[in-house]
Amino acid sequence: ETGVTQSPTHLIKTRGQQVTLRCSSQSGHNTVSWYQQALGQGPQFIFQYYREEENGRGNFPPRFSGLQFPNYSSELNVNALELDDSALYLCASSLVLGNYGYTFGSGTRLTVV
Amino acid sequence: GQQLNQSPQSMFIQEGEDVSMNCTSSSIFNTWLWYKQDPGEGPVLLIALYKAGELTSNGRLTAQFGITRKDSFLNISASIPSDVGIYFCASLYATNKLIFGTGTLLAVQP
């Protein structure tokens, strides 16, 4: 059984640009959640996808959007990047909706300059 | 909104010492989770608690679900260097959203 893999591991973007981060869920997991972790803080919930539909969203603006594909891989897209978007972005998958057993990836470190 | 406050913020201990940390909230939760995060990695689940008063162990780790359902405690016995990392408490709200605490940084000196 493979774990959760994220790509790229590191990324540098310029303010105003757009970015796409990718996540491959653990085999068989149909639920994926994305989290933003600023330096020195705990992860903050961005949104969750279940069976390709958004299933809950945290306090993030619409320029944060996502997609989940039939093979349960997913993307996080951020438009009009701001300096404060610099953070570690974590993807977590779980086998069952509402199950606490999230498996986290190692994250993508995004730096906006 | 919901917020989980962890203390202490950081701990610097000698190998072999026992460690205690806690997590408090003004809100009631039905689940308490404890995660460890190593540098450059995502959080890894250590212990999950589901019932007020529950005490659960995982090797040298022991966690308790507070009786008021507003707090939880994590103890690590006989610490070793690989215990170094950031420990987060977390809970579920709205069935599918994990809320994380502020974290406790643990440093263990050999």
Side-chain angles (χ1 to χ4, degrees), chain A residues 35 37 48 55 100 105-106, chain B residues 37 41-42 50 88 96-98:
Chain A
Y35 290 80
Q37 186 176 21
Q48 182 183 80
N55 181 55
Y100 69 89
S106 297
Chain B
Q37 186 174 25
E41 299 293 330
Y50 301 105
F88 289 101
N96 63 348
K97 303 176 187 176
L98 272 179

Side-chain angles (χ1 to χ4, degrees), chain B residues 36-39 81-87 104-108:
Chain B
K36 178 176 182 254
Q37 186 174 25
D38 292 328
S82 62
D83 290 334
V84 164
I86 303 177
Y87 291 79
T104 293
L105 171 67
L106 177 64
V108 180

Side-chain angles (χ1 to χ4, degrees), chain B residues 1-21:
Chain B
Q2 288 94 346
Q3 190 169 345
L4 303 181
N5 299 304
Q6 288 186 245
S7 64
Q9 191 172 18
S10 59
M11 304 180 74
F12 299 88
I13 63 170
Q14 297 284 332
E15 182 176 1
E17 288 184 19
D18 296 343
V19 170
S20 290
M21 59 187 78

Side-chain angles (χ1 to χ4, degrees), chain B residues 24-95:
Chain B
T24 60
S25 173
S26 57
S27 303
I28 289 174
F29 289 102
N30 294 319
T31 303
W32 283 97
L33 309 170
W34 284 92
Y35 285 86
K36 178 176 182 254
Q37 186 174 25
D38 292 328
E41 299 293 330
V44 174
L45 181 65
L46 300 173
I47 292 180
L49 303 159
Y50 301 105
K51 199 165 61 170
E54 179 181 354
L55 187 71
T56 297
S57 293
N58 178 8
R60 294 179 295 106
L61 278 60
T62 302
Q64 183 161 24
F65 192 139
I67 200 74
T68 65
R69 292 163 59 197
K70 292 182 178 181
D71 56 11
S72 180
F73 306 87
L74 176 69
N75 295 314
I76 305 173
S77 62
S79 59
I80 59 178
S82 62
D83 290 334
V84 164
I86 303 177
Y87 291 79
F88 289 101
C89 62
S91 192
L92 282 167
Y93 75 98
T95 70

Side-chain angles (χ1 to χ4, degrees), chain A residues 2-71:
Chain A
T2 60
V4 176
T5 56
Q6 294 187 240
S7 62
T9 54
H10 296 82
L11 198 54
I12 299 175
K13 288 286 192 178
T14 303
R15 188 171 49 182
Q17 284 188 314
Q18 178 267 344
V19 69
T20 297
L21 310 181
R22 295 182 172 82
C23 173
S24 177
S25 299
Q26 185 160 330
S27 178
H29 285 195
N30 59 18
T31 305
V32 66
S33 303
W34 285 90
Y35 290 80
Q36 179 195 66
Q37 186 176 21
L39 201 60
Q41 298 183 21
Q44 301 287 320
F45 176 77
I46 302 175
F47 44 56
Q48 182 183 80
Y49 278 79
Y50 171 67
R51 292 186 176 177
E52 303 172 54
E53 298 280 336
E54 186 178 292
N55 181 55
R57 188 178 184 91
N59 189 26
F60 281 82
R63 59 189 185 83
F64 285 79
S65 63
L67 281 173
Q68 186 184 31
F69 301 101
N71 66 354

